[in-house]
Amino acid sequence: MELPYSEPYKIKMVEAIKTSTRKEREKWIKDAKYNLFMLPSEYVFIDLITDSGTGSMSDRQWSAMMLGDESYAGASSFYNLKNMVEKLFGFKHFLPTHQGRAAENVLFSALIREGDVIPGNSHFDTTKGHIEYRKAHAIDCTIAEANDTQLEIPFKGNVDPEKLDKVIAQYGKERVPFVCLTITNNTAGGQPVSMENIKATSKVCKKHGVPLLFDSARFAENAYFIKMREEGYGDKTIKEIVHEMYKYADMMTISAKKDGVVNIGGFCAMHDADLYRKASTFNIMFEGFLTYGGMSGRDMNALAVGLDENTEFAQLDARIRQVEYLGKKLDEYGIPYQRPAGGHAIFIDAKKVLPNVPKEEFTAQTLCIELYLESGVRGVEIGAMLADRDPDTRENRYPALELTRLAIPRRVYTDRHMDVVAAALKNIYDRRETITRGYKITHEAPIMRHFTVELEKA
Ligand code: F0G
C-alpha cells in the first residue's frame, strides 16, 4: 500500500500546555471583555488565533541564531538575508523591518498620498489600516466567487482583472500608486492566486502604467497551490515557481512571521532604486539603520534559513495537508467552512454554524467565544468586528462573510490537536438552535478596533 504522508522532521523540544474547566474559562473570557486578544495565553489550550510568529523554528534556524552578527552597520546577517531575498524573489533592494505592517508603513510612506486608491484582493487589516490612515482608500477587486463559501474552485483568492481594470480607469493612474496583490489571500480564506491570475493582474497594471506590489506573507503556500493545482507546474520546484511569480512584481512587502517561519521580522523589497532611496529614509526613521531595520542580526540569520527551508516541497506539503486534515474532520461532522481548505487556516462559515445570531451581534465573534468556552481553543474573528466602521460614514461595515478563522501555526500542533478542535466545533454545531444571542460593543478604538474592543453579552 502507498505510505501516508508524514512530517519531514522529528520533535526535539516540547512545551507544556494547560487544560482548564468550562467554569474557569467563563470567568476568564468575561474578564477579557469577551475579546480573545485580551486572554493571557496560559488560559488557552490550543491557540489558533494566528499562524503569525507562532511557528517552531528548526535546529538549523536556532544554530543560525548563534551566528548572528549584531553589528550596527553592515552585519553579515544582513547580507545573508539580502542574498536569500535576491535569490528567491529577484529583488536587488531590500529593507528589513520588524514585521509586515512595518514594511507597509515604510513603503507606503514613500508611495501613498491623501485621496489615492489602492485596488487589490482583500487587503489584510493592517494593510487597509496603513492605507486608510493616510486618507487613501483600499478597493477590493477579489473575484465574486470568493464570497460563496461552498463553491469549490482552485484559486479562490484571485483578483477579478476586469474589476481591477475598471477601478484604475475610473480613478486614473495618478491616483493609483500601486496595485496590491495578497498571496495567499488571507481574508478570503487563505485562498491562493493562480499564476495565470498573477499574469492577468500584471497585464492590467502594465496597461495603465501602475506598479504591482505583492503582499507576500504566505507566498510559499501560494506557490505550493500553483504546483498542485495549476496545469504545467506539477514538475517545477517551489523555488522555481516563486521565482516565476515574482517576475511579475515590482515590489513586495512581507510579514516573515508566516512563511519565513520566524517569530519576528519582515521586509520590503523593490527593483526601483529611486523608490528604495525614498523608502530608506522612512526605514531609518521608523525602524532602524538600513542593514538591520527592525531586526537583530540573529533574527535576520534565522529568517534567511527559514525562507530557504520553507520553500522546500516536503515542508509545505505536511503543513498544508494538516490544514486539509482538519477540513476533512469538519466534513465528517457537516460543519461548513470556506472551501476548499486554505493554506494556513480553516475559515468556519459562522452564519451557517450559528444561524440564529444576528450579524449586528457579531456572529463570527460569538462563535469564537463559544469555541473557547467549549474547549479552550482560541480562534479569531474575520467578520464585522474586523471590517470596522466606514472611515467616512462611521457606520458599521457588514462583510458578506462572517468567518471564524482557525489559523494553524507551522510545526506546532499534531493531528490529534486537530481532532479536539473538530470535536469542539461539532458540539457547538449540534446545539446551534439554542444559541440565539451574540455580543455588543461597550468600547472601541477609532481604527483597528478588533484588537482592543470590549464587549458584553447582548
Ligand atoms: N499581510 C498579510 C496578508 C497578513 O496576513 C499580515 C498579518 C500582514 C500583512 C501584517 O503582518 O502581522 O507581521 O505586521 N497577519 C497576521 C494574521 C497577523 O493573523 O493573519 P504583521
Side-chain angles (χ1 to χ4, degrees):
M1 88 192 249
E2 196 189 336
L3 298 181
Y5 86 94
S6 71
E7 290 74 11
Y9 48 82
K10 55 184 178 174
I11 297 164
K12 197 178 291 204
M13 191 188 279
V14 296
E15 178 184 344
I17 48 178
K18 284 190 212 129
T19 54
S20 54
T21 63
R22 185 176 176 108
K23 202 153 174 241
E24 284 172 325
R25 292 192 291 273
E26 275 167 4
K27 178 182 184 312
W28 294 336
I29 190 73
K30 185 162 184 261
D31 290 348
K33 308 281 197 298
Y34 298 100
N35 178 346
L36 290 109
F37 285 104
M38 293 298 164
L39 275 179
S41 66
E42 63 184 315
Y43 296 164
V44 176
F45 181 46
I46 300 172
D47 203 351
L48 307 185
I49 197 168
T50 183
D51 62 323
S52 182
T54 52
S56 300
M57 291 208 295
S58 69
D59 51 355
R60 282 184 62 220
Q61 284 180 288
W62 278 108
S63 44
M65 297 269 288
M66 298 307 289
L67 301 174
D69 176 355
E70 307 302 343
S71 304
Y72 189 96
S76 64
S77 307
F78 170 80
Y79 292 104
N80 290 340
L81 182 54
K82 182 174 164 49
N83 291 340
M84 187 53 66
V85 169
E86 190 166 354
K87 185 174 141 196
L88 275 179
F89 305 106
F91 290 115
K92 246 183 88 180
H93 306 295
F94 109 107
L95 293 164
T97 61
H98 75 276
Q99 56 184 74
R101 68 199 69 183
E104 290 161 2
N105 189 29
V106 166
L107 193 59
F108 294 4
S109 293
L111 286 171
I112 299 180
R113 285 172 311 181
E114 186 173 336
D116 282 350
V117 301
I118 291 89
N121 57 340
S122 328
H123 312 66
F124 182 67
D125 54 338
T126 61
T127 318
K128 194 151 111 223
H130 272 296
I131 291 168
E132 292 178 350
Y133 179 74
R134 291 172 171 80
K135 298 195 164 54
H137 294 272
I139 300 184
D140 188 359
C141 301
T142 308
I143 53 168
E145 291 92 322
N147 285 331
D148 177 355
T149 59
Q150 298 313 292
L151 182 72
E152 194 118 5
I153 53 170
F155 292 102
K156 230 174 174 176
N158 280 353
V159 154
D160 180 339
E162 275 177 36
K163 226 192 264 180
L164 178 67
D165 187 50
K166 272 199 196 122
V167 169
I168 306 180
Q170 184 189 340
Y171 291 96
K173 173 185 164 179
E174 296 68 33
R175 285 184 65 190
V176 184
F178 60 93
V179 166
C180 178
L181 191 64
T182 310
I183 52 173
T184 58
N185 185 330
N186 180 4
T187 314
Q191 299 292 328
V193 174
S194 69
M195 191 71 85
E196 193 189 353
N197 194 248
I198 290 175
K199 286 182 195 166
T201 306
S202 158
K203 205 169 153 195
V204 173
C205 289
K206 287 221 160 73
K207 175 180 148 191
H208 293 281
V210 169
L212 179 56
L213 173 139
F214 285 1
D215 176 354
S216 310
R218 300 175 183 87
F219 74 97
E221 288 167 7
N222 201 91
Y224 172 89
F225 283 120
I226 288 176
K227 180 178 169 73
M228 303 305 275
R229 295 181 183 171
E230 197 162 350
E231 220 188 300
Y233 290 93
D235 293 333
K236 295 209 154 83
T237 66
I238 298 294
K239 286 188 169 68
E240 284 166 349
I241 296 171
V242 169
H243 210 260
E244 183 175 337
M245 283 159 60
Y246 280 82
K247 276 200 327 211
Y248 299 96
D250 297 291
M251 53 197 163
M252 69 185 285
T253 51
I254 184 170
S255 166
K257 299 166 70 173
K258 284 84 167 173
D259 276 349
V261 206
V262 287
N263 303 119
I264 195 77
F267 57 85
C268 56
M270 64 288 284
H271 292 304
D272 184 344
D274 282 344
L275 177 61
Y276 168 71
R277 257 183 232 115
K278 253 195 198 164
S280 294
T281 306
F282 293 107
N283 208 56
I284 292 170
M285 239 167 25
F286 297 141
E287 291 292 299
F289 181 62
L290 302 177
T291 60
Y292 69 88
M295 295 173 80
S296 61
R298 53 182 166 269
D299 288 332
M300 288 189 285
N301 259 8
L303 176 55
V305 176
L307 286 170
D308 190 26
E309 285 182 351
N310 202 39
T311 44
E312 288 300 321
F313 178 76
Q315 288 287 334
L316 292 157
D317 194 42
R319 188 267 188 299
I320 290 173
R321 290 228 219 171
Q322 184 175 50
V323 180
E324 195 181 276
Y325 174 86
L326 175 58
K328 283 189 178 144
K329 276 270 150 204
L330 298 182
D331 288 343
E332 261 176 54
Y333 304 145
I335 296 164
Y337 58 90
Q338 172 70 301
R339 310 187 73 86
H344 67 294
I346 292 285
F347 291 63
I348 311 289
D349 188 337
K351 280 187 190 170
K352 291 199 168 77
V353 175
L354 297 180
N356 298 330
V357 177
K359 66 177 190 303
E360 291 78 9
E361 294 179 7
F362 303 105
T363 318
Q365 179 68 16
T366 305
L367 181 55
C368 289
I369 295 164
E370 285 295 323
L371 181 61
Y372 175 70
L373 290 172
E374 181 70 26
S375 58
V377 172
R378 174 159 71 172
V380 75
E381 191 254 19
I382 312 268
M385 192 69 74
L386 179 73
D388 220 312
R389 292 175 188 274
D390 183 291
D392 298 328
T393 67
R394 300 307 297 158
E395 291 295 320
N396 271 319
R397 292 187 277 213
Y398 293 105
L401 296 178
E402 282 285 325
L403 301 166
T404 290
R405 186 186 75 171
L406 307 172
I408 304 178
R410 291 163 187 78
R411 307 190 287 214
V412 171
Y413 292 112
T414 65
D415 289 356
R416 199 59 72 94
H417 289 113
M418 299 302 118
D419 293 344
V420 173
V421 175
L425 277 164
K426 179 186 185 313
N427 291 345
I428 296 166
Y429 193 49
D430 286 349
R431 55 181 164 80
R432 61 188 175 281
E433 293 305 329
T434 66
I435 304 168
T436 56
R437 297 307 301 265
Y439 293 83
K440 58 178 188 227
I441 296 177
T442 56
H443 168 80
E444 68 183 285
I447 195 164
M448 288 198 251
R449 66 180 179 186
H450 56 291
F451 287 121
T452 53
V453 75
E454 294 179 3
L455 301 168
E456 64 183 23
K457 284 185 179 165

